[in-house]
Amino acid sequence: MPTYNIPKTQKAAVVEKTGAPLQIRNDWPVKQQKDLAPGECLVKLDCSGACHTDLHAAIGDWPVPPVTPLIGGHEGVGIIVAIGDNTSNSPVKLGDRVGIKWLADSCLNCEHCRKGREQNCPHAKLSGYTVDGTFQEYVVSYVNHVTPIPEGFPSDAAASILCAGVTVYRAIKYSQTNPGDWIVLPGAGGGLGHLSVQYARVCGLRVIAIDTGAEKKNLCLKLGAEKFIDFKESKDIVADVRNATGGEGAHAAVVTSSAPGGYTQATEYLRSGGTLMCVGLPGDSKLVTSIFFTVFKSLNILGSYVGNRQDAREALDIAARGDVKVHFSVKPLAELKSVYDGMHHGTVAGRIVLDMTKK
Ligand code: NAD
Ligand code: ZN
């Protein structure tokens, strides 16, 4: 068994109180092996993606408040350097490279866990929201929920599959579409969105991407979207989608826009029997849609929330084989504040991945 030197303190990005400025601290404590509970493991992180959810958490614009002080982050990849004493039947061991996803832990015994909806477990622990996340060098996680990273798949390329990838993979999986169907992807140039374009293509779907600006347009078209609609330039998004689909509208939409605008026309441009998958999480907005046409067109409106352990493995497997690639740039943790600024202004095409090994 390998042995690891575990320092007493580490670098971490900390939000003391919701809405307070982000601080980069060098004196944040590292939980030591003897203090890990059974089932807990300590992961030394290589890197972590930065998700728009982390920005929602730092600002506190969701109706469910995060813990404070808050260490965000839930797209981490690293090596297991310690496991709590008396952990039985651990599916992972010291030295394994694993991923940390939003769902850090769930009981695995309640009705939701038994039905495969682990993310809805009432005992769920959420990385970077209810437990410390991956914007630190060492994170405590849980042996039953960390996700093994396929061999040879680089950590920085894998990181954003653990939230963005698994989330859109699951949403498309349950979108009731068949190969050859049309899918509309509002938010397509963002972190989740650019992966949704690719997973949709893997599923044989025809993609209409909606976002704004030349950089996101080029990215979406390069990744296989057949049509790009700029939501700031289009005079009529519903008409644009209908025209692109031969008049009937799309079979499904997976909305990953963090702003409510991405939802506004979604049910209108779906054809009869179509499915709206709600993924993006504007905190205080209502979904407004015609009750009459929801019934008349037999529409399905579903929420889709991250994914379970199996979804994570499937999403990673597809990406590790090269069929889906995260479009990312790497920055040090110290630049997280500017990453949030970019996300807030909608200027990040794809994802930013933070290198946790850089001093
Ligand atoms: P991001 O900032 O990288 O991407 C959001 C994209 O939406 C941007 O490209 C932006 O230009 C685009 N957008 C804004 N307004 C739009 C509009 N009116 N129409 C079309 N596109 C529009 O964010 P992200 O990290 O991809 O996260 C997106 C959202 O998904 C966030 O709200 C996040 O909290 C949420 N999320 C949900 C889950 C889940 O389980 N359901 C998981 C992860 C993230
Ligand atoms: Zn996320």
Side-chain angles (χ1 to χ4, degrees):
M1 277 287 166
T3 51
Y4 297 95
N5 279 334
I6 296 165
K8 294 273 186 301
T9 56
Q10 60 168 332
K11 185 175 51 182
V14 184
V15 176
E16 282 287 349
K17 277 200 165 56
T18 303
L22 189 74
Q23 297 173 13
I24 305 295
R25 302 266 299 258
N26 286 308
D27 58 351
W28 204 255
V30 179
K31 199 166 183 182
Q32 300 295 300
Q33 194 279 335
K34 63 178 176 36
D35 301 321
L36 293 172
E40 288 184 351
C41 58
L42 186 71
V43 176
K44 181 178 192 307
L45 290 164
D46 295 334
C47 59
S48 173
C51 177
H52 207 113
T53 291
D54 300 311
L55 176 58
H56 290 297
I59 303 171
D61 67 355
W62 279 356
V64 185
V67 292
T68 50
L70 174 74
I71 296 178
H74 55 272
E75 289 186 345
V77 178
I79 302 288
I80 298 185
V81 293
I83 294 180
D85 288 339
N86 302 315
T87 297
S88 49
N89 300 324
S90 174
V92 287
K93 59 182 187 319
L94 286 189
D96 283 3
R97 196 164 57 110
V98 295
I100 315 290
K101 52 189 171 48
W102 172 254
L103 184 62
D105 197 28
S106 74
C107 79
L108 303 180
N109 283 312
C110 69
E111 178 188 334
H112 302 289
C113 285
R114 291 195 310 268
K115 287 183 170 169
R117 275 199 326 270
E118 294 159 0
Q119 58 275 46
N120 295 120
C121 172
H123 310 289
K125 296 189 174 83
L126 309 176
S127 310
Y129 211 78
T130 65
V131 295
D132 286 349
T134 54
F135 295 155
Q136 53 182 341
E137 291 169 277
Y138 290 83
V139 62
V140 174
S141 202
Y142 302 85
V143 295
N144 282 321
H145 266 279
V146 289
T147 312
I149 303 295
E151 223 180 295
F153 191 19
S155 297
D156 54 3
S160 292
I161 301 299
L162 288 150
C163 175
V166 64
T167 299
V168 296
Y169 169 71
R170 184 194 184 279
I172 292 167
K173 184 168 151 181
Y174 290 97
S175 66
Q176 310 186 36
T177 45
N178 292 308
D181 284 355
W182 284 103
I183 191 163
V184 182
L185 302 172
L192 270 63
H194 86 290
L195 295 174
S196 72
V197 174
Q198 298 176 68
Y199 282 110
R201 294 295 301 125
V202 167
C203 296
L205 300 172
R206 302 181 70 182
V207 171
I208 299 172
I210 306 183
D211 212 308
T212 190
E215 191 183 2
K216 290 178 181 175
K217 176 181 181 177
N218 293 338
L219 178 62
C220 293
L221 294 177
K222 191 182 94 187
L223 296 175
E226 273 181 59
K227 184 167 175 64
F228 182 86
I229 299 171
D230 192 315
F231 70 86
K232 288 193 180 158
E233 285 176 9
S234 169
K235 303 243 174 330
D236 187 343
I237 289 177
V238 176
D240 288 349
V241 172
R242 289 218 177 118
N243 288 339
T245 56
E248 269 222 67
H251 300 83
V254 173
V255 181
T256 60
S257 154
S258 52
Y263 282 95
T264 315
Q265 310 89 347
T267 53
E268 288 176 56
Y269 55 60
L270 289 177
R271 69 178 60 190
S272 292
T275 301
L276 167 61
M277 300 302 282
C278 304
V279 173
L281 284 162
D284 55 359
S285 309
K286 301 259 186 297
L287 183 67
V288 179
T289 188
S290 154
I291 297 171
F292 181 85
F293 283 108
T294 302
V295 176
F296 195 67
K297 287 169 66 182
S298 309
L299 296 179
N300 310 294
I301 301 178
L302 301 173
S304 190
Y305 178 37
V306 291
N308 63 18
R309 292 169 300 164
Q310 181 62 22
D311 297 322
R313 283 177 184 242
E314 291 171 11
L316 269 172
D317 178 58
I318 291 168
R321 282 186 284 107
D323 291 331
V324 165
K325 289 193 177 84
V326 182
H327 174 87
F328 66 97
S329 54
V330 179
K331 299 202 165 158
L333 180 65
E335 284 186 34
L336 182 54
K337 168 79 176 66
S338 70
V339 174
Y340 282 165
D341 290 344
M343 248 180 218
H344 179 68
H345 292 108
T347 55
V348 182
R351 235 347 168 221
I352 308 283
V353 174
L354 304 167
D355 182 345
M356 303 306 305
T357 64
K358 274 216 179 87
K359 283 293 158 200

